[in-house]
Structures are given as structure tokens and as C-alpha cells.
Amino acid sequence: MQLDSKVPEGPLAEKWNKHKFDIKLVNPANKRKYDVIVVGTGLAGGAAAASLAELGYNVKAFCFQDSPRRAHSIAAQGGINAAKNYQNDGDSVFRLFYDTVKGGDYRSREANVHRLAEVSVNIIDQCVAQGVPFAREYGGLLDNRSFGGAQVSRTFYARGQTGQQLLLGAYSALSRQVDSGKVKMYTRSEMLDLVMVDGKARGIVVRNLINGEIESHSAHAVLLCTGGYGNVFFLSTNAMGSNATAAWRAHRKGALFANPCYTQIHPTCIPVSGGHQSKLTLMSESLRNDGRVWVPRTKELAEKVRSGQLKANDIKEADRDYYLETKYPAFGNLVPRDVASRNAKMACDDGRGVNKEGQAVFLDFRDAIKRDGKDLISAKYGNLFQMYHKITDENPYEVPMKIYPAVHYTMGGLWVDYNLMTTVPGCYALGEANFSDHGANRLGASALMQGLADGYFVIPYTIGDYLARMPYDKVATDHPEFKKAEQEVKDRIAKFVGKSEGTKTVDEFHKELGKIMWEYCGMARNTEGLTKAKKMIQELRADFHKNVKVSGGDKEFNQTLEKVMRVADFMELGELMVDDALNRSESCGGHFREESQTDEGEAKRKDDEFSYVAAWEYKGENQQAELHKEALEFENVKLTQRSYK
Amino acid sequence: MNLTLQIWRQNKPDINNNGNYQNGEGKMTEYKVADISPDMSFLEMLDELNEDLLKKGDDPVAFDHDCREGICGMCSLYINGQPHGPESGTTACQLHMRSFKDGDTIYIEPWRAKAFPVVKDLVVNRSSFDRIMQAGGYVSVNTGVTVDANEIPVAKTIADEAFNMAACIGCGACVAACKNASAMLFVSAKVSQLSLLPQGKAERKKRVERMVAQMDEEGFGACTNTGACSAECPKDIPLSSIARMNREYFEAKITSNNV
């Protein structure tokens, strides 16, 4: 299979404009003849559904939650980047582009990233016009902050709830279109398969989660805006329902899956405490602006902290190892996420972790409070301190926080071309569900930017190019292909329903899968571990299909059934992530291969061998996936080794 | 900790497949849970119960949840007579077991309101909230037809107040807390946000009229200013937002642009 990225010719800065002119348009009067399905109602899906309906297309939007407003974009805290240069500090579209490609460790497509930087400025205009209450200065103009180690202040924010406010903006635009009759909204509906007719995506099969009915929906194009797959790890900062099923089902129908091993492990999360934990909570990384990361200098001291004989505040200055400040004097505690995470792991692997489980480091505000006063620290981080206090029952104004890295975001996803189309004609992937813009590592405040860029400003143009070539004819849902897909879904469900004799619960299997992934395909990976993990996942999957215990029936509200279907797909995706990690024997971004490091223990890329997108083709159940490569060419940025010393 | 749970179990939905009310035949059922860590969240305690039930071959308790960090608004448990339980400014997912004592009996029910019919056990249908938002909880602006963001200056005090209103997570605790099952706090939060901001001014009259009309049509009760909604709101939406909506509503009715 030849992967054609369809990146337009011409100078980088003119590609998108030129492309918008070159692609075909659908006449305004003809748009109403086309139906578009949008799966997922987060930033990408909500924005796309609203924008396409405004243009005149008939949109059907689907979400598994009880309301489109609950999509997991809502939980994003920090902010959204845009190259507005309102602060007059030297930002520009080109700088945002450059930072994003560099931050992604040179594993993303230049043209896509430049387009993202270009439309970033429109996103802010759009959101403000919708009534999104961004932070403002006293003069009434928008405020910005620096985020994630960026050297300019380009991040727009709404307290610590930027994702919520942006999502509610998209939700309001979507609600308006539902009111106008251009969007038909299906809540508590989960996509379980993609339907192909004559080689094109022509619809989906969903399960109505309230009554369990299997329903088919037909359209001229299908947009998957279904988020990332971080929940493969069981424990992550994702919502409990976040899943990969829609994307995985499309993958099984021919959509290549790109760079599945690129996962982002966020350094500042509340550590795991005990086996009952269901999810991990992220603390905004803005905390690292003032907090100092440290562990005790020796294992012996750490052991005393773990057993409760010694309190953090009683440890003398000389016995504290501020390892980030020592190792990276230029960036200190503000090193990028992957570097901060890896170093926390190294300190804990070294036996110097500070909670009962030995899987935590300190994030200490003692010196900041001494310097700036409690009031100022409270004004900056009050809500985060309160959240931490509530969860852990420890007061961070008095004792250092304990933090540990957690799975947060997945840069990999369905392979898409410049138009955001997957390798299945008519099937698009937007937002975190695609692989397109973040390379091997995503910068802070860039996820919201990409979701909204794809939904508001890219797909409304690029989908026209495809639809303009499509006949208006609709495919009826009693077409044999729909019936076949429905039957496949029913058969899949039937395999799980009534497995009340199973020996282990879905969660138990999911936790085991998570442990394998975290241990061998987490913050550091090597050939031996990955090889072992592949076999372990295969065995676990076989055991899962044989022994998982499911209660209740299929024609009813059944949360166990919902879960088992999702975990079944995670069991397959997990193996592909391991395959990809095994193939990529270089380190880059969030993917650290122990065999490929510099003398100082930093990630070492192998640009000659691995400057490509790894796109995997599904070859059948329990068959080895096939690798395809899209070469990455860099004409506008210079590849360098990232250094934060 | 060892606890006794009294949980509302309801197998049949309040609304049948034809859209009509039926008797869901629910009842409170007793369960015991043992060895609960005070560091667990309330929902993790329910996870433990469900794992036990599943292993015994019983039907797990259905309850809504998703983000588990207090922002998605999905969780909706009425715990010991209070929406989201005993802690103020906290959703059920952020409630921890250290708020309870060993040996306690905890009563867990769904939101109770005619406009929130029960789907199963503790799960209710809150689509009525979506329909209220569809009736006007937006600024009518198409993608792309916008001016530069800084062409619309907003005084910081106004922007901050608009944010306070926009913090609503749409969970429905206000309705569950209200003896009349009124949705005034929810509706007033959105009306307030958009009538405070310059972007929302053009449609402010029509918006409040339509949203209030939809609220009434959904079967939510009237407001009698008892303030339980605001006291129980996990995001501390103030009662003053209802006063603001009432002013907006009267003004709209007197000077309406709609005939």
C-alpha cells in the first residue's frame, strides 16, 4: 500500500491557502443532499458537527455519554495555544509551527503542523465570539501565560478549566444546530462498527445503550472524533468511558493505525494508592513553575520516609536531591513532560520513591511560599492545592505534594492524509483520534488547539473535496453490507452475553493488561521486555475470551457489557502498541528505548532509519499486522538533538 | 471500614420504549461492604461492591460516572439525602470515604425529578437539560464569521462573573436538591453568563424567554427561593444568578422583541 499524504505543492506558508482554492466545493444548494455522521462530541466532534451543519450538510452526531457536553475534552485544564502574539514577545505562526515540530521530536508532518499554527488564531476569535469566558486583563483584553516551557506567552486560558469552557462553546454551537434541525443528536449510543459499501465508508452500526438495540445509520461520510486510547493502560487520566473501539473497528475495516506506541506520560499526577484505584488525577503542570521536584539523597532516607519514621519537612537541605535542577540547570523543573517523567521513574527505580508504594517524588512549595508568601501561591494554584488536599488528605501548603507520572494522551492514532481522511475512503479521523500533528510528543496546551482546528477550520473545507465527487444517492440501511455488519456486531455481543460462568471480571482483566503495558510499554521500553509483553498480551487475550465473566442481557442497560466490548478492543490494540514500540528501536519524544540513549542517558533519535510514520495494516484476528511507512521530509526545520541542560 | 449500603435498585426504566411513563418498580436494597479504605473515592467503593456482586453472579448497581475528577457532570448520586453527599463544593466522584465512619449506613438514591426519569438503578435521563440548552443557550455565530478576539473587550470583573456562571457542569444536583424539582439554578447560570457578556446581548431577550418556556415544558417545578440548589451545587453557582434571570425574564416580557 502506497501512503499518499496529499500534502499540497508550494512553499510551506502557502500550502493551506492554495489547497483551499484547489479543492472542490459543494454548491450551497447541494449540501443538503449529503449526510455526514460524526462520532464523538468532544472538541473535534462537537466543532465539526456544528460547523458542517452551519454549512448546510445533514449531520448525525453520536456520543456514548448521556449528553454531548460530557466528552472528555471537558477535563483539560491548562489552556490553548494560539500564535496571536498579543504579548508582543516575538511569537508568530512560524514560531508556533517550529516549536510544535521540535516538541514532537521531529516525527510529525510539517505541512499539517503549519496549518495548525495558521488556524490557531481563528480558533481564539471563534471561541470568544461564542462567549467563552477566557481570562482577561484589567483593560478588558485577553490574558496569556507561558506554558509547558514555551519561551513566549501564547497560551489562552479560563482558570484551570479551559477544556470545559471550550467544550461548552462547541456544545452551544452544536445545540444551536440541533435546534435548527440540521443536527440529529444520538446520546448514549456507542459505535460498534464501520460499514463499507463498494470500498467506501457509508455508515455505522451503533448500540443504543439504554435498551440495547442494534441500529444502523447511513451517510456519505463518517467522521471519527473519538479521542485517544490511553485507557489501554487501565490507569490513566482519561475518563472511565474513554475507549478505542470506534477507531479500532475502523482499523479492522482497513484504516491504518499510525504510531500507536507514541503515548504521553504526564509527570504531575497524584500517585497510585492501593489496588482499588480506578483512575489517576492530573495536576496541571503549571505547578512546576514554582514547585521544586526532589527525592531523598539516599535509599536509606527514602525508606524511612516510606515507613513513616521520617517526615519530608525534617529532611535536611543537604539530604535532598533536586535532581531536575542539578541535571538540567537551564530548564530545571520546567523540562518537557517526557524528560520530567523519565527522571521521576529513574529516581523511584533507584529506590528513592517517597510513598508507601515507592512510586512518588516530592513537589515542594516550601521555598516558593517563603519567597512569595502563601497568598500569592494560593492565588496561582489555590484550586489545585484544594483538589490535592481533597484527594490525598494532605495539605500542600504545609507538606510537599507527592506526584508520579501517569498516562495522559496518545499522539498515535488513525493515519490520515492532509485532508484528515483515513486510508478508508470517506472515513475521517479528527482530534486525538488521528496521529497527525504532535509527532512523538505533544506540547502542553496543544491538544485543545488541534481538536478545534480539525473540527472548526479543516474538515469543513476538506470534506467538500470528497463529497463533491460523490453521487447524492443514499444507501438504505437494509443494504446487505449494513445487515452483514449488524450481524457481526450481534455475534460479537453474543459471545460475551451470558458468560456468567466466567472466572474473572472485566476489570480484573483490564488491570492485568494495564500492568503489562505500564511495565513493558510505558516510560521506558526495551527489546526483551517488549517481546515478553507481546506474548503476555496474546495469552491474556485468549484467557479473556475464555474466562471473562459478564452478567445481564444484551437488550438492556448493561454497563458490564459496554465495558467488556471496549476491553476486548484494548486487548488487540495493546499488542499493536507493543509491535510498534518494538519496531521503533530509536528513542524519540515519549517513546524511550533503553537501547538508544546518549552517554548522558537522554533519548537518542535515529533520523536516518526512523524519520517515518509507522502505519500498521490489520491483517486479521491473531495475525501479525503489516507495517507501512510514510517518509517524513523536513524542508523548513533543522533536526537537532533536544537538549535541556 | 465496614459499611451498610441501602441502594435504590430499579430494573425497569420509568419511561418505556414507547415513550410513556410506567412504574419502574424500584426499591431500596441492603448490601454490606467490608475493608473499605478511607482513601477510596465514593465511586471506587461502589466499584468494589460491583466487583463483589459480579463475582457472586448478581447484577451490578448501575450508576453514571465518567471523568471522576469533578468536571464532566456525569455522576449523580443522592447520598444520605444530599446530592453528591455530605461535602460542600464536591461531586460524588470527588467524595472520599474518609467522610464516613466505620459502621455507617449509607443511603444511595438517584436524582428524583419528573424531568429526570430513571433509566436503571441510579442512572437517570437528563436530556431535558440538553433541550433547554438547545432552546437558546448559545450565541448565534457561525464558524468563521468572527472579528479578532481583542475587538471585543470585556471588563475583567464582568468576565470573571461570567466565568463563575459558566462553571456549571450540568449535573442536575440543583434539581435533585429542590423540593419542587426546579431547574432555575441550571438555566439561570447559562442565561447569566450570556447576558453578562457583550457577545450575548443581541439575543438576550429571546434567549431567556425560550429557555424558561422549555424548562416549564420539560416538567421542572417552580422556584420558591429556598436556596437548596445553590447550597448543594458542587460548583457553587450562587442564588443571585436566579435573581438575575428573573430580572432578565421580566425585562424581556415587558419589552419583548418577539410578538
Side-chain angles (χ1 to χ4, degrees):
Chain A
M1 186 183 296
Q2 196 58 40
L3 289 170
D4 180 4
S5 68
K6 302 217 172 81
V7 169
E9 295 295 315
L12 182 67
E14 288 161 33
K15 282 180 195 288
W16 178 231
N17 266 334
K18 181 176 175 301
H19 189 63
K20 281 193 286 187
F21 181 76
D22 288 342
I23 55 183
K24 281 184 176 288
L25 297 175
V26 178
N27 175 319
N30 288 336
K31 289 201 174 88
R32 69 175 74 97
K33 295 174 185 162
Y34 291 111
D35 302 334
V36 179
I37 282 172
V38 180
V39 187
T41 57
L43 290 179
S51 303
L52 293 174
E54 287 162 9
L55 287 172
Y57 296 112
N58 306 310
V59 176
K60 286 181 176 185
F62 297 82
C63 67
F64 70 80
Q65 299 92 340
D66 76 327
S67 164
R69 67 179 291 156
R70 311 217 194 272
H72 192 54
S73 307
I74 203 151
Q77 299 172 357
I80 176 165
N81 286 330
K84 281 283 196 188
N85 194 30
Y86 281 161
Q87 305 305 322
N88 196 29
D89 58 358
D91 200 12
S92 64
V93 166
F94 193 76
R95 186 178 294 280
L96 175 55
F97 153 76
Y98 206 101
D99 287 355
T100 306
V101 174
K102 182 185 172 195
D105 220 357
Y106 310 99
R107 290 294 174 261
S108 48
R109 211 187 266 152
E110 278 192 348
N112 284 58
V113 178
H114 196 274
R115 174 176 66 189
L116 176 68
E118 283 174 62
V119 303
S120 69
V121 297
N122 305 109
I123 295 172
I124 303 303
D125 298 343
Q126 182 64 33
C127 295
V128 166
Q130 289 168 342
V132 170
F134 282 119
R136 286 175 185 269
E137 295 167 349
Y138 281 99
L141 302 181
L142 292 161
D143 192 20
N144 293 118
R145 61 182 170 195
S146 155
F147 200 81
Q151 286 168 303
V152 292
S153 285
R154 62 159 75 102
T155 304
F156 294 77
Y157 65 101
R159 290 190 202 160
Q161 287 140 265
T162 317
Q164 179 199 24
Q165 294 308 317
L166 295 175
L167 182 67
L168 293 180
Y171 166 71
S172 74
L174 177 64
S175 297
R176 176 172 163 244
Q177 292 309 312
V178 174
D179 186 40
S180 79
K182 289 304 287 182
V183 173
K184 176 101 178 77
M185 186 68 228
Y186 297 84
T187 58
R188 291 204 200 264
S189 295
E190 182 155 10
M191 169 176 161
L192 292 180
D193 215 346
L194 181 72
V195 181
M196 312 273 295
V197 177
D198 299 331
K200 293 191 172 91
R202 290 307 299 265
I204 59 173
V205 175
V206 302
R207 180 165 180 269
N208 177 327
L209 299 184
I210 291 188
N211 59 24
E213 292 297 332
I214 300 301
E215 300 163 1
S216 280
H217 297 272
S218 135
H220 295 87
V222 175
L223 276 50
L224 303 180
C225 314
T226 49
Y229 49 89
N231 272 349
V232 168
F233 291 85
F234 184 75
L235 284 179
S236 81
T237 66
N238 285 5
M240 300 300 285
S242 299
N243 69 84
T245 287
W248 190 252
R249 291 291 136 188
H251 174 60
R252 290 177 55 123
K253 287 284 165 85
L256 300 198
F257 209 105
N259 302 332
C261 80
Y262 290 164
T263 46
Q264 181 163 76
I265 317 272
H266 197 292
T268 52
C269 299
I270 298 177
V272 178
S273 68
H276 56 77
Q277 195 128 355
S278 60
K279 77 154 277 169
L280 298 172
T281 305
L282 173 78
M283 308 284 292
S284 170
E285 71 182 327
S286 61
L287 289 169
R288 286 194 282 140
N289 284 319
D290 284 298
R292 298 180 72 191
V293 176
W294 65 279
V295 289
R297 206 165 278 289
T298 63
K299 279 182 212 175
E300 292 69 34
L301 280 171
E303 179 50 43
K304 281 189 184 161
V305 172
R306 285 197 290 270
S307 61
Q309 296 169 42
L310 187 61
K311 296 265 175 281
N313 285 337
D314 297 334
I315 298 179
K316 290 196 292 281
E317 197 60 25
D319 291 332
R320 298 175 173 209
D321 179 8
Y322 296 95
Y323 56 89
L324 290 177
E325 295 173 25
T326 319
K327 206 163 155 191
Y328 308 98
F331 279 69
N333 294 297
L334 292 173
V335 290
R337 291 175 178 179
D338 54 332
V339 178
S341 292
R342 211 153 44 236
N343 279 280
K345 179 184 182 332
M346 278 153 63
C348 293
D349 287 352
D350 193 28
R352 297 189 290 154
V354 295
N355 69 348
K356 249 185 259 166
E357 288 79 6
Q359 301 281 306
V361 300
F362 288 126
L363 178 64
D364 200 339
F365 289 86
R366 185 192 64 178
D367 296 346
I369 291 172
K370 218 184 278 170
R371 182 186 68 223
D372 298 337
K374 192 179 162 187
D375 289 349
L376 189 74
I377 294 300
S378 165
K380 278 191 192 168
Y381 309 114
N383 62 334
L384 294 169
F385 277 35
Q386 191 199 3
M387 179 167 85
Y388 181 86
H389 195 165
K390 220 180 252 178
I391 293 174
T392 63
D393 207 22
E394 288 187 340
N395 184 352
Y397 292 104
E398 288 161 13
V399 296
M401 286 184 176
K402 291 180 195 133
I403 55 163
Y404 200 65
V407 174
H408 177 55
Y409 187 90
T410 50
M411 282 74 68
L414 293 175
W415 184 91
V416 289
D417 64 16
Y418 190 70
N419 294 321
L420 304 182
M421 200 195 285
T422 66
T423 47
V424 171
C427 177
Y428 293 78
L430 281 65
E432 193 180 347
N434 73 28
F435 87 104
S436 79
D437 295 351
H438 306 296
N441 179 46
R442 180 178 63 75
L443 291 181
S446 285
L448 304 184
M449 172 171 70
Q450 188 225 335
L452 289 179
D454 287 359
Y456 282 134
F457 295 108
V458 179
I459 196 71
Y461 291 94
T462 58
I463 200 171
D465 192 48
Y466 175 75
L467 292 176
R469 300 163 209 267
M470 286 280 284
Y472 305 131
D473 321 2
K474 295 175 198 284
V475 179
T477 51
D478 58 4
H479 187 284
E481 288 296 337
F482 274 96
K483 290 291 141 202
K484 196 174 116 202
E486 278 180 24
Q487 195 53 51
E488 280 170 14
V489 166
K490 285 176 186 163
D491 292 346
R492 247 163 71 214
I493 291 173
K495 271 193 222 155
F496 290 116
V497 169
K499 281 182 77 86
S500 52
E501 300 309 308
T503 51
K504 275 199 293 190
T505 65
V506 187
D507 278 356
E508 285 171 332
F509 276 109
H510 195 177
K511 281 179 190 178
E512 276 187 49
L513 173 67
K515 275 201 190 112
I516 299 172
M517 296 304 294
W518 182 245
E519 182 70 27
Y520 302 108
C521 197
M523 279 187 280
R525 301 140 182 206
N526 60 52
T527 309
E528 193 194 334
L530 289 165
T531 312
K532 193 166 145 194
K534 186 171 166 74
K535 194 153 168 285
M536 288 169 83
I537 295 170
Q538 287 170 344
E539 286 165 6
L540 184 68
R541 190 167 63 225
D543 187 29
F544 168 80
H545 283 282
K546 213 165 127 201
N547 290 322
V548 69
K549 194 175 175 75
V550 181
S551 69
D554 59 336
K555 288 281 182 281
E556 61 187 48
F557 189 86
N558 185 343
Q559 290 173 316
T560 313
L561 181 61
E562 290 169 30
K563 219 156 42 176
V564 79
M565 304 290 287
R566 294 169 191 161
V567 173
D569 290 336
F570 285 146
M571 290 273 177
E572 296 182 10
L573 173 55
E575 187 181 344
L576 188 68
M577 290 166 71
V578 168
D579 279 339
D580 189 42
L582 203 49
N583 169 66
R584 193 169 285 275
S585 66
E586 65 163 352
S587 294
C588 62
H591 170 66
F592 187 75
R593 278 291 296 263
E594 288 170 351
E595 299 93 333
S596 181
Q597 44 184 312
T598 63
D599 296 339
E600 292 148 323
E602 301 297 334
K604 190 172 149 202
R605 293 195 320 272
K606 297 181 191 165
D607 290 331
D608 296 343
E609 280 178 75
F610 289 102
S611 284
Y612 65 78
V613 177
W616 298 85
E617 183 183 357
Y618 184 77
K619 293 304 237 184
E621 219 140 297
N622 298 318
Q623 300 296 309
Q624 180 60 39
E626 187 186 339
L627 173 65
H628 301 273
K629 298 176 183 177
E630 179 202 338
L632 291 169
E633 279 148 36
F634 296 94
E635 294 165 353
N636 299 277
V637 298
K638 192 169 160 280
L639 275 60
T640 55
Q641 183 70 39
R642 289 192 305 160
S643 170
Y644 299 96
K645 298 269 172 189
Chain B
M1 294 160 78
N2 297 326
L3 301 163
T4 303
L5 306 175
Q6 288 282 352
I7 302 179
W8 180 261
R9 301 303 308 261
Q10 176 173 334
N11 217 0
K12 273 191 349 203
D14 281 348
I15 305 279
N16 66 20
N17 276 347
N18 303 322
N20 299 318
Y21 271 93
Q22 64 184 8
N23 182 355
E25 293 167 18
K27 62 174 196 300
M28 298 301 283
T29 307
E30 186 175 290
Y31 299 95
K32 303 271 187 198
V33 284
D35 297 327
I36 295 298
S37 154
D39 288 334
M40 271 186 196
S41 76
F42 196 83
L43 301 191
E44 284 164 355
M45 183 273 293
L46 287 181
D47 289 343
E48 294 271 301
L49 169 70
N50 278 345
E51 287 286 283
D52 285 349
L53 291 176
L54 197 51
K55 281 182 192 157
K56 276 191 239 154
D58 292 341
D59 195 20
V61 179
F63 65 95
D64 264 332
H65 62 96
D66 201 21
C67 78
R68 297 206 176 188
E69 46 189 273
I71 195 74
C72 77
M74 193 97 175
C75 62
S76 49
L77 301 177
Y78 200 74
I79 302 164
N80 286 345
Q82 284 182 288
H84 295 301
E87 305 287 330
S88 70
T90 303
T91 56
C93 65
Q94 289 183 304
L95 179 65
H96 283 76
M97 294 315 292
R98 64 181 82 93
S99 298
F100 299 89
K101 292 193 307 291
D102 186 34
D104 276 357
T105 297
I106 305 174
Y107 292 82
I108 312 170
E109 297 169 76
W111 286 173
R112 301 226 186 250
K114 186 180 157 206
F116 290 164
V118 172
V119 173
K120 185 179 179 180
D121 299 340
L122 304 170
V123 174
V124 298
N125 182 341
R126 287 168 285 190
S127 301
S128 46
F129 268 16
D130 284 332
R131 288 189 292 272
I132 294 173
M133 296 296 262
Q134 287 153 16
Y138 46 78
V139 173
S140 294
V141 51
N142 280 2
T143 303
V145 291
T146 52
V147 293
D148 185 86
N150 264 349
E151 300 248 338
I152 314 171
V154 184
K156 183 168 166 53
T157 47
I158 298 292
D160 286 350
E161 179 65 359
F163 183 93
N164 292 337
M165 302 296 144
C168 169
I169 56 174
C171 64
C174 46
V175 174
C178 179
K179 62 190 161 100
N180 302 331
S182 168
M184 287 286 272
L185 195 71
F186 167 75
V187 182
S188 68
K190 187 48 73 176
V191 166
S192 289
Q193 178 202 345
L194 295 180
S195 59
L196 280 161
L197 292 171
Q199 300 93 309
K201 300 258 195 237
E203 296 170 283
R204 65 196 284 188
K205 292 180 190 172
K206 184 174 139 202
R207 174 182 306 118
V208 69
E209 286 182 286
R210 279 195 69 200
M211 289 180 77
V212 168
Q214 188 65 39
M215 173 178 83
D216 290 344
E217 195 182 315
E218 296 292 347
F220 291 103
C223 174
T224 49
N225 269 317
T226 41
C229 52
S230 181
E232 297 292 356
C233 173
K235 297 296 152 183
D236 298 323
I237 305 289
L239 205 56
S240 59
S241 70
I242 294 184
R244 188 185 288 106
M245 180 165 84
N246 283 332
R247 289 197 300 277
E248 290 287 327
Y249 186 74
F250 293 136
E251 189 187 331
K253 278 296 169 197
I254 293 165
T255 66
S256 177
N257 296 338
N258 306 326
V259 188

